[in-house]
Amino acid sequence: MQPPSLLQIFLTFLQLGCTSFGGPAAHLVFFHRKMVQQLHWINDIQYQQLIALAQLLPGPSSSQVGIGLGYMQRGYLGALMAWLGFTLPSAILMALVAVLGQRYFYVLNSHSFHVIQLIVFAVVSWAFWQMLRSFCKSGWQFALMVASALFLTLVPLSFNQILAIVLAGLLSIAISKYSNKVTVTSGQSVTTDLPHPKVQKKQAICWGIAFVLPFIVVPALVHALGWSKLHFFTDFYQTGSLVFGGGHVILPLLRQDFVSSGMVSAQAFDLGYAFAQLMPGPLFNFATYIGTLLDWTDQLWLNALLATVAIFLPSFFLMFATLPYWSWLMQQALIRQAVMGINAAVVGLLLYLVFELGHSYLTRWEDITFVILMIVLLRSKIPLWFSLIAGFALYTSYLSFF
């Protein structure tokens, strides 16, 4: 079978980028239906192994699977076309939301902002519950989750969230060695019959070096040349490099980088995050919205582009660096153990955020009732966009009358 052209790859993923609502789990179902069942670009075993590799890596899992799918068809350019098609629709929409939000911010009154805050709280609470059920299945994982949340509360460092993730991974490895066994959930078991990727191992090493370089080069340039605005790039790149567990985890990291520092208002941040739930494609495009609000350069579109590239760039580096070693990675029990600990810490980050937002946003008993109702709607089969818009309209009207 002749591989698809670069244009075919772009158009296929563009269609998915316009229609794939529902988050990473739903995206992977759409990818399977399109790439495996309809187009037959790869088989079931290859697709399952690609998902397993993406789950071991930090970053947006569905976007990484898309990058891998494009690469397996047409190499590096195929990977770029797949990512571009899948990312472009929601990136454009989020940039427009940021521009229009700045222009028409005054239209929203205090009740509207309060309801948006409650919707964000409901979405984060629901994401926390889903991740808790998926990632914390043993006592030591629950302990790491709670310890991570307490660590964020008691250690007021600017990099405490990243430190909590790293420490959780190391503690998880130590726990496995101390107990003389590695606990691996059934969802992480893998087979090893994916054909060897085409990418060369020497190239893979270069991609691995490229992944590490921004952590070293950008701070050096900031210190030596005084290019302070490069910190923005580092913030987005760092988030894309260290986020495990799905798109919702970017919320606490970006909130710490841009809201706590005063670069973006809490109201504008929450407004963008609420709109991000309504968009198809990757939730990581929330970075596009944040980038548009920053004064990185004089051009809003360039700010949006730089933020989008910065948060997705680690995914390219990591996929290209690990594809040749996928079979070795799949067999390393300690790596899978570290990822289990990191996932538990990520749930702890969301737990901390749930308490922080709840303390700030829940001001009356009606708010609690509304949040519970929103979570029930999120659990239902009602389309997410309808649930969020209907909830916003009804509760805003209620607050305006009472």
Side-chain angles (χ1 to χ4, degrees):
M1 179 179 176
Q2 187 175 1
S5 67
L6 292 175
L7 180 60
Q8 286 176 307
I9 293 174
F10 173 77
L11 292 177
T12 299
F13 277 93
L14 182 65
Q15 180 188 22
L16 290 167
C18 293
T19 58
S20 295
F21 294 87
H27 299 166
L28 295 177
V29 173
F30 294 137
F31 285 2
H32 182 271
R33 184 182 305 155
K34 191 72 175 180
M35 311 300 172
V36 179
Q37 296 179 345
Q38 296 179 12
L39 299 177
H40 305 290
W41 285 359
I42 62 172
N43 59 43
D44 275 309
I45 294 175
Q46 292 173 318
Y47 186 69
Q48 291 168 10
Q49 291 304 302
L50 200 54
I51 291 176
L53 176 61
Q55 288 176 338
L56 279 181
L57 302 176
S61 57
S62 58
S63 293
Q64 287 171 331
V65 170
I67 290 170
L69 286 167
Y71 176 80
M72 292 173 70
Q73 302 306 312
R74 284 287 181 174
Y76 296 131
L77 287 178
L80 180 61
M81 290 298 102
W83 171 79
L84 190 62
F86 187 58
T87 307
L88 194 59
S90 58
I92 292 174
L93 290 172
M94 289 305 297
L96 287 174
V97 168
V99 172
L100 294 175
Q102 287 180 301
R103 182 168 298 181
Y104 299 106
F105 217 52
Y106 67 91
V107 174
L108 299 174
N109 58 28
S110 59
H111 293 318
S112 300
F113 278 122
H114 183 58
V115 176
I116 289 171
Q117 290 173 335
L118 294 177
I119 289 174
V120 169
F121 178 68
V123 170
V124 173
S125 300
W126 176 234
F128 162 73
W129 175 248
Q130 288 179 303
M131 293 178 67
L132 177 67
R133 295 177 62 187
S134 298
F135 294 146
C136 295
K137 297 184 177 180
S138 59
W140 67 267
Q141 288 174 303
F142 276 100
L144 273 182
M145 176 196 70
V146 175
S148 298
L150 290 174
F151 181 83
L152 297 179
T153 305
L154 301 175
V155 181
L157 297 174
S158 60
F159 54 91
N160 58 0
Q161 297 185 349
I162 296 170
L163 188 58
I165 291 173
V166 173
L167 289 175
L170 296 175
L171 283 172
S172 181
I173 293 174
I175 290 170
S176 70
K177 289 186 175 182
Y178 178 76
S179 61
N180 199 30
K181 64 179 181 178
V182 178
T183 306
V184 181
T185 63
S186 58
Q188 292 169 301
S189 60
V190 294
T191 58
T192 57
D193 43 9
L194 177 64
H196 194 283
K198 303 171 189 175
V199 66
Q200 299 297 317
K201 291 190 175 182
K202 288 184 179 179
Q203 294 174 342
I205 293 172
C206 293
W207 289 116
I209 294 172
F211 170 74
V212 176
L213 278 180
F215 291 100
I216 302 170
V217 174
V218 174
L221 289 174
V222 171
H223 178 74
L225 303 177
W227 294 354
S228 59
K229 290 188 177 182
L230 279 177
H231 275 307
F232 294 163
F233 181 91
T234 306
D235 291 335
F236 287 113
Y237 186 87
Q238 186 173 265
T239 297
S241 302
L242 298 173
V243 166
F244 287 81
H248 291 289
V249 185
I250 67 173
L251 183 65
L253 294 173
L254 293 180
R255 192 179 187 90
Q256 184 181 55
D257 289 335
F258 298 107
V259 177
S260 299
S261 61
M263 286 186 280
V264 176
S265 70
Q267 293 89 347
F269 188 91
D270 290 339
L271 177 66
Y273 191 72
F275 270 99
Q277 311 305 313
L278 305 175
M279 302 297 171
L283 187 56
F284 267 53
N285 277 335
F286 180 49
T288 308
Y289 172 88
I290 298 297
T292 309
L293 298 180
L294 299 176
D295 59 349
W296 203 344
T297 72
D298 294 332
Q299 303 295 324
L300 293 180
W301 66 268
L302 183 57
N303 296 339
L305 176 63
L306 290 172
T308 307
V309 169
I311 203 167
F312 282 103
L313 192 58
S315 296
F316 283 92
F317 291 158
L318 287 170
M319 287 299 291
F320 295 157
T322 56
L323 276 171
Y325 302 99
W326 69 268
S327 58
W328 179 83
L329 287 168
M330 294 297 107
Q331 296 171 21
Q332 301 308 304
L334 288 182
I335 291 178
R336 300 200 300 275
Q337 180 76 10
V339 171
M340 291 173 66
I342 289 170
N343 284 336
V346 162
V347 181
L349 263 64
L350 284 181
L351 175 62
Y352 170 78
L353 186 62
V354 166
F355 278 110
E356 187 180 55
L357 296 182
H359 181 264
S360 301
Y361 294 167
L362 299 177
T363 59
R364 61 182 79 185
W365 69 266
E366 292 97 330
D367 292 346
I368 299 174
T369 304
F370 174 71
V371 168
I372 294 173
L373 176 61
M374 289 304 304
I375 292 175
V376 171
L377 290 175
L378 291 173
R379 291 188 58 186
S380 70
K381 295 183 179 181
I382 299 173
L384 178 63
W385 63 268
F386 180 81
S387 299
L388 297 183
I389 293 175
F392 172 80
L394 291 174
Y395 197 50
T396 302
S397 300
Y398 172 84
L399 293 179
S400 299
F401 281 109
F402 298 99

